[in-house]
Amino acid sequence: MTSTSGSNRHSPVETAAVVAHGRVDVRDAVERVRAVAERAGVELVDEPERAQLAVSVGGDGTILRTLARLLGTGIPAIGINFGRVGFLASIAPERLEDDLARVFRGEYRTIEQPTLEAQLDGGTFVAVNDVVATSSTLGRMIELGWSIAGEDLGVVSCDGMICSTPSGSTAYNLSNGGPVLGRGLDAMAITFIAPHSLDARPLVVPRGMTVTVRNATADVSAGVLVDGHRVADMLPGGEISVFLADERSLLATLPETTFFGRYRETFTSHP
Amino acid sequence: MTSTSGSNRHSPVETAAVVAHGRVDVRDAVERVRAVAERAGVELVDEPERAQLAVSVGGDGTILRTLARLLGTGIPAIGINFGRVGFLASIAPERLEDDLARVFRGEYRTIEQPTLEAQLDGGTFVAVNDVVATSSTLGRMIELGWSIAGEDLGVVSCDGMICSTPSGSTAYNLSNGGPVLGRGLDAMAITFIAPHSLDARPLVVPRGMTVTVRNATADVSAGVLVDGHRVADMLPGGEISVFLADERSLLATLPETTFFGRYRETFTSHP
Amino acid sequence: MTSTSGSNRHSPVETAAVVAHGRVDVRDAVERVRAVAERAGVELVDEPERAQLAVSVGGDGTILRTLARLLGTGIPAIGINFGRVGFLASIAPERLEDDLARVFRGEYRTIEQPTLEAQLDGGTFVAVNDVVATSSTLGRMIELGWSIAGEDLGVVSCDGMICSTPSGSTAYNLSNGGPVLGRGLDAMAITFIAPHSLDARPLVVPRGMTVTVRNATADVSAGVLVDGHRVADMLPGGEISVFLADERSLLATLPETTFFGRYRETFTSHP
Amino acid sequence: MTSTSGSNRHSPVETAAVVAHGRVDVRDAVERVRAVAERAGVELVDEPERAQLAVSVGGDGTILRTLARLLGTGIPAIGINFGRVGFLASIAPERLEDDLARVFRGEYRTIEQPTLEAQLDGGTFVAVNDVVATSSTLGRMIELGWSIAGEDLGVVSCDGMICSTPSGSTAYNLSNGGPVLGRGLDAMAITFIAPHSLDARPLVVPRGMTVTVRNATADVSAGVLVDGHRVADMLPGGEISVFLADERSLLATLPETTFFGRYRETFTSHP
């Protein structure tokens, strides 16, 4: 089940790892994390895979990479937000010392969220937020043929297509008019980017349905992005399959951080 | 589980009921249904609750009412489309004789779909498609306070709000920019009508989450519509709760009718 | 020409009128206006038509009515915002004394803006913001046939249609997905409300083009709203014509109030 | 004035030029044009600049390039549509012989339409349809600072921004949610591509207003596309200005082809 763990208390953290490979310079913040860890008696290890908890310092991109790296390990990651948006990161920079000390004492929740698996040319990729197929040539539309659960849905002229998890629904999916998928929903949103067909609308499908996307353009290849990183190209005629994966990402947040609270803070004008 | 029944074959139908109370005059069509039934040896009964299968003759409104009436009985309804849209009705008027004969022989599928329960002032309503709260005064916006799963999400100035099942997602929800919810998804879409706040976006929540909507307008009451019919008014300060209900609607379709096929026919320009 | 008057200085105001017939109780504010007028030696008259300047106290609805009433007189109106939005009103309540004193000294600008004329059954209406044709029955879509400059554009199933001036473009038009028309644009936006046809898109037409809307619904009449007030009903078969009128509204604002500044304050998240 | 020439009749064409450099193989079509010209006694010249009329054979891209090339010459271009969309081209392939013969006899209209001028790093570009600034790195948003008529409008996180003429409004602008600008409107539409800010809305501004766009991203350059062709890059800190240009494009169409007719054929489901 996609779910929020019942408890807001965990055992005190004994080992943690700091992950900080974003674009922003966060060396000061990493030092502050080290100081909090020292005071709390938490051992910092280099490999997040050997820690009880990963502390991601950076923007949403950093925490996405950390969550992806830890898939299948059962180790959660918590984010300190030094990025622009920070929908995933629950600790604000100015509260780093207080909030991280609480987390190290065990005051955090973990949230299991669906991920996506993308299959392309024999390769397999797992996305925490989204899989995007998009024209690789500036100013050139592509034609994407698509099907769901084996049923052909025709061809759409567009700049690209987004398959998004609930976690990713508030990111690129939302910028392109896709719906917000509430936490706990075990579903994938499919949203076209700049569709030329005026009737292409965002679609939400349940676990178990595979969307297959074919590059039906004669002469433009499509880039395939997993959580914002280009991992492959889909040549004319190439095909990618995307579906909800077995693995779930494991995000840690402060106990008081809720999805809708976050949503309200981020997206509504007059909370 | 929300699901499509595994089999495309049922026992031959022995008793059926015709339901035809739409706005369009469908007396001729009803006669054609009677003739098919007679040839097939199907007994027509008056009460759909006493039939094996209800045959709805009209538009989507007619079949919605039939599905709602039959909730909990285990009796499916199939639609012959004499309306403008007919997303739910799978039999075209010009194929009435052929297709209905097939159905009477047992060639149909049944699709279980989530419904919504709305609670207001002690009253309870069940919707097959959608529950809408909307300004009852032409030209006056209302203020709707809303919360999900007990969390306050603030107040939105708008014309109204739509809570929609997957079945209803292609109806009024879609006209207001909401997403299409694929069959099999056990979820509810929440979409505002003409929100003044530019950041109000469609939201999809899973079973188990209740959305509560409060009329926060000082001086305008809001009409509450269930499947398009005004069932109550929400006075200033009044509140309605909507959630996925236990009961499921039971739509019968031709074996070859699929959700995405229907979607493609109805909404995509170049199938 | 639609334009902003070149000068930010006018002669000192000698006579003004207060207009305050909004829903909110603004008696205190009216008293504050009187006090400022007295200190400034401005005579307050009852009829805005006999004043040099009208001072509107209330929300956007109040200033709209004042602007409409003064069409053709050459008398501008300035707004003190006691409403929720206040895109038209340039004086904030807490700055009433200071700003109004400045205005009375002649420190204001006047902005000429296009208005719309609507013709229906021999009657003529002038709108400062918008003309809306909308279903008069909750939960019932209507069918609107429309043409522009005599060319038939087909029939759209929807809740209604909005014809908007640049001034009105940031109001109901925007809530329904219509574009913002910058000041100085001599054009009308046409936007459908909840169109069932997925390909109905907002359209902007220049002065000189008349849009004609016909209620093609068999059994539902449509309400016609002018600046938010229901002025007439369009029976099945009835028709309304809307075009940019000769008259222009004359809004007064503080010299430092600009359209895009207002736009930024009101609609962008991170000004 | 932006306008449609009053007359549907011109003098018979004596010299024409064929322009056909699209991606599609149109050699057969060019032969058919030659045959029609020969029968009509029309001399085909190589340089469109030396002809009375240019005949564009291909998709909308081909006719755009032809219109751009002929700016300022007073020579109109007519399109035979071998592309996918063909909003600009008024002659269908199957009617080439009949319709082109009529055109050669003088039966055509010419439509003057506004163009855009873009200034960047001392270079000047003229666009018939649109000027687009867009992230040059797949999967990376950019930050665009923008101002209109000298007024700062803040920074928008997005994939890019489109400035569009009325002619271009039905192209990429429409795919990104921008409004349709009716023929005759002397205005520019400004629409963001995948804005992260939920409140960024399409805007229409009149002639005389310059929009300035600055690449406020620290580390991603933006491609600048003119009518779909990348003409330059906007480095971090770089700036581009776009405004309605003095020159107008001169599109020839069949007398019976109207903007709204075209619009209806292309975009409405049930014409």
Side-chain angles (χ1 to χ4, degrees):
Chain A
M1 260 300 292
T2 304
S3 69
T4 297
S5 101
S7 168
N8 289 340
R9 285 211 64 92
H10 294 254
S11 315
V13 175
E14 294 177 3
T15 54
V18 187
V19 184
H21 45 126
R23 290 186 195 96
V24 192
D25 180 357
V26 291
R27 277 173 296 186
D28 284 358
V30 170
E31 279 316 302
R32 290 167 65 193
V33 172
R34 288 190 189 287
V36 177
E38 190 164 334
R39 282 197 295 276
V42 171
E43 182 191 358
L44 291 185
V45 299
D46 282 349
E47 302 287 301
E49 288 82 356
R50 302 169 53 99
Q52 262 177 281
L53 177 72
V55 179
S56 160
V57 183
D60 275 357
T62 309
I63 195 161
L64 278 177
R65 276 191 294 274
T66 311
L67 290 170
R69 176 172 174 178
L70 291 172
L71 284 175
T73 64
I75 301 166
I78 195 161
I80 304 174
N81 179 30
F82 284 89
R84 207 167 27 77
V85 184
F87 201 81
L88 295 171
S90 61
I91 299 180
E94 63 275 15
R95 296 197 41 85
L96 189 155
E97 277 75 14
D98 286 358
D99 281 347
L100 194 56
R102 291 170 56 206
V103 168
F104 284 160
R105 285 197 297 270
E107 290 178 30
Y108 62 91
R109 290 197 301 172
T110 53
I111 300 161
E112 280 189 7
Q113 297 208 92
T115 60
L116 296 177
E117 186 168 329
Q119 294 183 342
L120 171 75
D121 292 341
T124 288
F125 304 92
V126 177
V128 169
N129 257 9
D130 47 32
V131 176
V132 176
T134 181
S135 168
S136 60
T137 306
L138 244 57
R140 289 292 308 277
M141 273 198 300
I142 52 177
E143 313 265 325
L144 293 181
W146 64 309
S147 68
I148 294 182
E151 255 194 86
D152 179 23
L153 286 167
V155 172
V156 175
S157 300
C158 59
D159 277 2
M161 182 204 245
I162 306 163
C163 295
S164 167
T165 63
S167 166
S169 71
T170 51
Y172 198 49
N173 169 70
L174 192 65
S175 298
N176 285 279
V180 176
L181 307 186
R183 263 183 204 158
L185 191 71
D186 203 19
M188 162 168 68
I190 301 166
T191 303
F192 285 95
I193 306 170
H196 183 79
S197 318
L198 298 183
D199 41 21
R201 292 299 174 100
L203 179 64
V204 185
V205 297
R207 178 173 292 274
M209 284 199 176
T210 297
V211 56
T212 303
V213 183
R214 183 172 45 85
N215 182 0
T217 332
D219 55 352
V220 183
S221 72
V224 174
L225 308 176
V226 168
D227 288 341
H229 296 275
R230 188 174 187 167
V231 298
D233 273 16
M234 188 161 53
L235 299 178
E239 203 170 87
I240 187 171
S241 294
V242 185
F243 49 91
L244 286 162
D246 291 336
E247 290 160 330
R248 312 218 171 223
S249 65
L250 204 54
L251 178 71
T253 69
L254 294 173
E256 65 271 23
T257 307
T258 58
F259 172 75
F260 290 114
R262 210 12 90 90
Y263 176 75
R264 192 182 50 183
E265 282 166 30
T266 312
F267 295 115
T268 66
S269 335
H270 314 289
Chain B
M1 259 300 294
T2 304
S3 68
T4 297
S5 99
S7 167
N8 289 341
R9 286 211 63 91
H10 294 254
S11 316
V13 175
E14 295 177 1
T15 53
V18 186
V19 184
H21 45 128
R23 291 188 194 93
V24 193
D25 180 358
V26 290
R27 277 172 297 185
D28 284 358
V30 170
E31 279 316 302
R32 291 166 64 194
V33 173
R34 290 191 188 286
V36 177
E38 190 165 335
R39 283 196 294 277
V42 171
E43 180 192 0
L44 289 185
V45 298
D46 282 347
E47 302 286 301
E49 290 81 356
R50 302 169 53 98
Q52 260 177 282
L53 176 73
V55 178
S56 161
V57 182
D60 275 356
T62 309
I63 194 161
L64 277 177
R65 275 189 296 273
T66 312
L67 290 170
R69 176 173 175 177
L70 292 172
L71 285 175
T73 64
I75 301 164
I78 196 162
I80 304 173
N81 181 30
F82 284 89
R84 206 167 26 75
V85 184
F87 200 81
L88 295 171
S90 61
I91 298 179
E94 64 274 18
R95 296 195 42 83
L96 191 155
E97 277 75 14
D98 286 357
D99 282 345
L100 195 56
R102 291 171 55 207
V103 167
F104 284 158
R105 286 198 297 271
E107 291 179 31
Y108 62 92
R109 289 196 302 171
T110 54
I111 300 161
E112 280 189 7
Q113 297 209 92
T115 60
L116 296 177
E117 185 168 330
Q119 295 183 340
L120 170 76
D121 291 341
T124 288
F125 304 93
V126 177
V128 169
N129 259 7
D130 48 31
V131 176
V132 175
T134 181
S135 169
S136 60
T137 308
L138 244 57
R140 290 292 308 277
M141 274 199 300
I142 52 177
E143 314 264 325
L144 293 181
W146 63 309
S147 68
I148 294 182
E151 256 194 85
D152 179 24
L153 287 166
V155 173
V156 174
S157 300
C158 58
D159 277 3
M161 182 204 245
I162 306 162
C163 296
S164 167
T165 63
S167 165
S169 70
T170 50
Y172 198 48
N173 168 70
L174 192 66
S175 298
N176 284 279
V180 176
L181 306 185
R183 263 184 203 159
L185 191 70
D186 202 19
M188 162 169 68
I190 302 165
T191 302
F192 285 96
I193 307 170
H196 183 81
S197 319
L198 298 183
D199 39 22
R201 292 300 174 98
L203 179 64
V204 185
V205 297
R207 177 173 291 275
M209 284 199 176
T210 297
V211 56
T212 304
V213 183
R214 183 173 45 86
N215 183 1
T217 331
D219 54 352
V220 182
S221 72
V224 174
L225 309 176
V226 167
D227 288 340
H229 296 275
R230 189 174 187 167
V231 298
D233 273 17
M234 186 162 52
L235 299 179
E239 204 170 86
I240 187 172
S241 294
V242 185
F243 49 90
L244 286 162
D246 291 335
E247 289 159 331
R248 307 205 176 238
S249 65
L250 205 55
L251 180 71
T253 69
L254 294 172
E256 65 271 24
T257 307
T258 59
F259 172 75
F260 290 113
R262 212 11 90 95
Y263 175 76
R264 192 181 50 183
E265 282 166 29
T266 313
F267 295 115
T268 66
S269 336
H270 314 289
Chain C
M1 260 299 293
T2 302
S3 69
T4 297
S5 100
S7 167
N8 289 340
R9 286 212 63 93
H10 294 253
S11 315
V13 174
E14 293 177 2
T15 53
V18 186
V19 185
H21 44 129
R23 290 185 196 96
V24 192
D25 180 358
V26 291
R27 277 172 296 185
D28 285 357
V30 169
E31 279 316 302
R32 291 166 64 194
V33 172
R34 291 192 188 285
V36 177
E38 190 165 332
R39 282 197 295 276
V42 171
E43 182 192 357
L44 290 185
V45 299
D46 282 349
E47 302 287 300
E49 289 81 358
R50 303 168 53 98
Q52 262 178 278
L53 176 73
V55 179
S56 161
V57 182
D60 275 356
T62 309
I63 195 161
L64 278 177
R65 275 189 296 273
T66 312
L67 291 170
R69 176 173 175 177
L70 291 172
L71 284 175
T73 64
I75 301 165
I78 195 161
I80 304 175
N81 180 29
F82 285 89
R84 208 166 27 75
V85 184
F87 201 82
L88 295 172
S90 61
I91 299 180
E94 63 275 16
R95 295 195 42 83
L96 189 155
E97 277 76 14
D98 286 357
D99 281 347
L100 194 55
R102 291 170 55 205
V103 168
F104 283 158
R105 285 197 298 270
E107 291 178 31
Y108 62 90
R109 290 195 303 172
T110 54
I111 299 161
E112 280 189 7
Q113 297 208 91
T115 60
L116 295 177
E117 186 167 329
Q119 294 182 342
L120 170 75
D121 290 341
T124 288
F125 304 93
V126 177
V128 170
N129 259 8
D130 47 32
V131 176
V132 176
T134 181
S135 168
S136 61
T137 306
L138 244 56
R140 289 293 308 276
M141 274 200 299
I142 52 178
E143 314 265 324
L144 293 181
W146 64 308
S147 67
I148 293 182
E151 254 193 87
D152 178 23
L153 287 166
V155 172
V156 175
S157 299
C158 58
D159 277 3
M161 182 204 245
I162 306 163
C163 295
S164 167
T165 63
S167 165
S169 69
T170 50
Y172 198 48
N173 169 70
L174 191 66
S175 298
N176 285 279
V180 176
L181 306 186
R183 263 183 203 159
L185 191 71
D186 203 19
M188 162 169 67
I190 302 165
T191 302
F192 286 95
I193 306 170
H196 183 80
S197 318
L198 298 183
D199 40 22
R201 291 299 173 98
L203 180 64
V204 185
V205 297
R207 179 173 290 275
M209 284 198 175
T210 297
V211 56
T212 304
V213 184
R214 183 172 45 85
N215 183 0
T217 331
D219 54 352
V220 182
S221 72
V224 174
L225 309 176
V226 168
D227 289 340
H229 296 275
R230 188 174 187 168
V231 298
D233 274 16
M234 187 160 54
L235 299 178
E239 202 170 87
I240 186 171
S241 294
V242 185
F243 49 90
L244 286 161
D246 292 336
E247 290 161 329
R248 310 215 173 227
S249 66
L250 204 55
L251 179 71
T253 69
L254 293 173
E256 65 271 23
T257 307
T258 59
F259 172 75
F260 290 114
R262 210 19 86 95
Y263 176 75
R264 193 182 48 184
E265 283 165 28
T266 313
F267 294 115
T268 67
S269 335
H270 314 289
Chain D
M1 260 302 292
T2 304
S3 67
T4 296
S5 99
S7 167
N8 288 340
R9 285 213 62 94
H10 295 253
S11 315
V13 175
E14 294 177 1
T15 54
V18 186
V19 185
H21 45 128
R23 291 188 194 92
V24 193
D25 181 357
V26 290
R27 276 172 297 186
D28 283 359
V30 170
E31 280 316 303
R32 292 166 63 193
V33 173
R34 289 190 189 286
V36 177
E38 190 164 333
R39 284 197 293 276
V42 172
E43 180 191 358
L44 289 186
V45 299
D46 282 347
E47 302 287 298
E49 289 82 357
R50 302 168 54 98
Q52 260 176 283
L53 176 73
V55 179
S56 162
V57 183
D60 275 356
T62 308
I63 195 160
L64 277 177
R65 275 190 295 273
T66 312
L67 291 170
R69 176 173 175 177
L70 291 172
L71 284 176
T73 64
I75 302 165
I78 195 161
I80 303 173
N81 180 29
F82 285 89
R84 204 166 29 77
V85 184
F87 201 82
L88 296 171
S90 60
I91 299 179
E94 64 274 16
R95 296 195 40 84
L96 191 155
E97 278 74 16
D98 285 358
D99 281 345
L100 194 56
R102 292 170 55 207
V103 168
F104 284 158
R105 286 197 297 270
E107 291 177 31
Y108 63 92
R109 289 196 304 170
T110 54
I111 300 162
E112 280 189 7
Q113 297 209 91
T115 61
L116 295 177
E117 184 167 331
Q119 295 183 341
L120 171 76
D121 292 341
T124 289
F125 304 93
V126 177
V128 169
N129 258 8
D130 48 31
V131 177
V132 176
T134 180
S135 169
S136 61
T137 307
L138 243 58
R140 290 293 307 275
M141 274 199 301
I142 52 177
E143 313 265 325
L144 293 181
W146 63 309
S147 69
I148 294 182
E151 254 194 86
D152 179 24
L153 287 167
V155 172
V156 175
S157 300
C158 58
D159 278 2
M161 183 203 244
I162 306 163
C163 295
S164 167
T165 63
S167 165
S169 70
T170 50
Y172 198 48
N173 168 70
L174 192 65
S175 299
N176 284 278
V180 176
L181 307 185
R183 262 182 205 161
L185 192 70
D186 203 19
M188 161 168 68
I190 302 166
T191 302
F192 285 96
I193 307 170
H196 183 80
S197 317
L198 298 183
D199 39 22
R201 292 300 174 97
L203 179 65
V204 185
V205 297
R207 178 173 290 275
M209 283 199 177
T210 298
V211 57
T212 304
V213 183
R214 183 173 45 85
N215 182 1
T217 331
D219 55 352
V220 182
S221 71
V224 174
L225 309 176
V226 168
D227 288 341
H229 296 276
R230 188 174 188 167
V231 298
D233 273 16
M234 186 161 54
L235 299 178
E239 204 170 87
I240 187 171
S241 293
V242 185
F243 49 91
L244 285 163
D246 291 336
E247 290 159 331
R248 307 206 178 238
S249 64
L250 206 54
L251 179 71
T253 69
L254 294 172
E256 66 271 24
T257 307
T258 59
F259 172 75
F260 290 113
R262 207 25 78 99
Y263 175 76
R264 193 182 49 184
E265 283 165 28
T266 313
F267 294 115
T268 66
S269 334
H270 314 290

